[in-house]
Amino acid sequence: MLVYRFRTWVLLLLVIFPDSSLSHFDSAKKKQMREKVRKMFYHAYENYMTHAFPHDELKPLSRSFTDSLGELGNLKLEHLPQNYNGTALTLIESLSSLVILGNCTEFERAVLWLSENLTFDVDARVNLFECNIRVLGGLVSAHILATDSTNRLVQGSYKNQLLVLAEDLGRRFLPAFDTPTGLPYAWINLKYGVMKNETTETSTSGCGSLILEMGALSRLTGDPRYESAALRALRKLWSMRSSLNLLGTTLDMETGEWIEHSSGIGAGVDSFYEYLFKAHILFGKEDFWRMFHSAYLAVQKYFRHGPWYHEADMRTGKATYWQLTSLQAFWPGLQVLVGDIAAANTSHREFVYVWKKFGVLPERYLLDHQMLHPTEKYYPLRPELAESTFYLYQATKDPWYMEVGETIVNSLNSYTKVEGGFASIRDVTTMQTEDHMHSFFLAETCKYLYLLFDDSFLVDRNYIFTTEGHPLPVLSAWQDRLPEIYIPSNWTYVKDEKQTKRSSAMSLQVCPALSLNAGNGEQLAESACHVPDARSDHKCFGDEECGVDSTSCRRRSCSMAGYCGLWLVV
């Protein structure tokens, strides 16, 4: 069952792709894989608790720790105070995973320890974006789970302590937003605020991926400052888009000028797209939908090349870098939520191909040369492919995605499991390991793999997952206005005062309609942006009778010969 059941156009995915035969993935096989993932989680978690807790992250080869909260984004340890003992980052990141695995006893123990010991009154310079998605998101999500009676916490043992901690952290974020543009600094000192001579360079993700966690904090506390700060930054960022509805990757938050104009769907911008759409689901603001709709069509038009997505200049739309990055693997999962299953499946299969070719997914792969990037050959246990696999299985019930999950699980156990936990891969050509286990391995990688084989946590619940995998409930009380019920049709005629026009499934916010594959009769979904031509024979008298191409999302035009097609080169 999909997690977003309240949206008609997402619910209909279950109708479009009915459950097929489970092949060798019968209930016994699913249970076997679930238990395999459970063992992975606890192997990592118990090693962290033994060798690294209460510090931030585990170094599995040396069985020691690193205090990464103060070095996220390559900050050196000398910036940390001598008595800094970490913020138990991996423990915070693991909280919702413990609930999903059904270990409410350990969840309660962890919550009570954090309630009594965690403090943010430390002289540590942290990355605002990373601290927001990992720590604030983890605390807010855990608070919501702790107040859920179905999690069986001991009655009276929890008195909103995690929310108190989250609000304390949120208040420490606010000075970062006190800027001429409203765009926040990328770095902030938890004790002293913005430091003198702090860098003004930040990223699109860093400015535009704060709204879920800070918005949820405002809804929980009744203090609008957090959501207002994140929303102001997001709107300012959107106002800086080009005429093509594209954004760059890095910018100066003080002047509002772009530094890097080349952009894609990977590092530096990825979660910006994700949060536009998920914020619309969580808070119901139509502004979020309009921004996402425009941005998504621009991505499909200027970045997509067949199943791949290259980078392009935001000003011209011209391709700049032809490369696959591991962070791009989140995109098919986002497309599932949009309803663009055909496009999601096509891209996902290419990522699976690269995974199988190397055994894991390399950080960067040069598409134009069909070779690894010479220096970025590592795999830091990233979750994005597992995440998209989970979403695609939920949408299609195709057992092939479970087979992909099995491949991922087997690879992780074969190449990254060590006696002290799970280690990152330094070089995918040699499978040499590196002494680091990122907290997101427990927050996301293991979580999405577990949910792939056992989604019982999601039954009768409505959640979205943040970019760090922390579940947030979709509540009517948080909605600015309740979602409308849309007609389940791929396109229809929508009348306004001036004219009648055809609309795509995406513009109507419904699931794409079915099309019949002439080869085997299998039912497939149209692209979410597709608008058919007015006539089935594609003849036309004017451009208004031509639709939108399903592959490139580009507007078709009427030729002098009277046929619709992609005649204009943009």
Side-chain angles (χ1 to χ4, degrees), residues 166-183:
E167 187 167 22
D168 176 44
L169 182 59
R171 281 195 295 265
R172 296 174 188 273
F173 285 174
L174 291 178
F177 294 85
D178 187 14
T179 66
T181 60
L183 299 169

Side-chain angles (χ1 to χ4, degrees), residues 20 26 113 151 178 208 256 283 372 379 473 520:
S20 58
D26 54 16
W113 186 93
N151 293 326
D178 187 14
F283 303 124
L372 287 170
Y379 169 66
N520 55 18

Side-chain angles (χ1 to χ4, degrees), residues 265 270-271 274 326-334 384 387-388:
I265 59 169
D270 49 356
S271 54
E274 178 185 3
S326 61
L327 286 172
Q328 293 176 351
F330 90 100
W331 188 254
L334 180 60
E384 285 76 17
E387 176 185 4
S388 288

Side-chain angles (χ1 to χ4, degrees), residues 491-506:
W491 65 274
T492 186
Y493 287 96
V494 180
K495 295 183 178 180
D496 59 25
E497 295 179 356
K498 297 181 179 179
Q499 61 180 352
T500 299
K501 59 182 180 180
R502 293 187 312 284
S503 300
S504 67
M506 191 173 185

Side-chain angles (χ1 to χ4, degrees), residues 69 72-73 93 126-138 169 173 176-177 184-188 202-211 213-214 266-275 327 382 384 440 444 466-468 470:
L69 178 62
L72 295 175
E93 291 257 70
V126 300
N127 183 278
L128 177 67
F129 166 73
E130 296 287 358
C131 198
N132 174 72
I133 64 171
R134 298 190 187 200
V135 184
L136 183 61
L169 182 59
F173 285 174
F177 294 85
Y185 283 92
W187 299 89
I188 190 164
T202 187
S203 68
T204 299
S205 290
C207 291
S209 307
L210 306 166
I211 188 63
E213 294 83 0
M214 296 186 73
V269 70
D270 49 356
S271 54
F272 166 76
Y273 297 110
E274 178 185 3
Y275 272 37
L327 286 172
R382 290 203 188 277
E384 285 76 17
F440 54 67
E444 299 181 83
T466 69
T467 196
E468 195 70 8
H470 299 305

Side-chain angles (χ1 to χ4, degrees), residues 19-27 29-30 393 397-400 402-403:
D19 201 349
S20 58
S21 170
L22 288 180
S23 182
H24 72 289
F25 266 96
D26 54 16
S27 58
K29 179 67 173 179
K30 289 175 66 176
Y393 176 72
K397 300 302 180 185
D398 185 337
W400 181 79
M402 285 197 170
E403 295 174 9

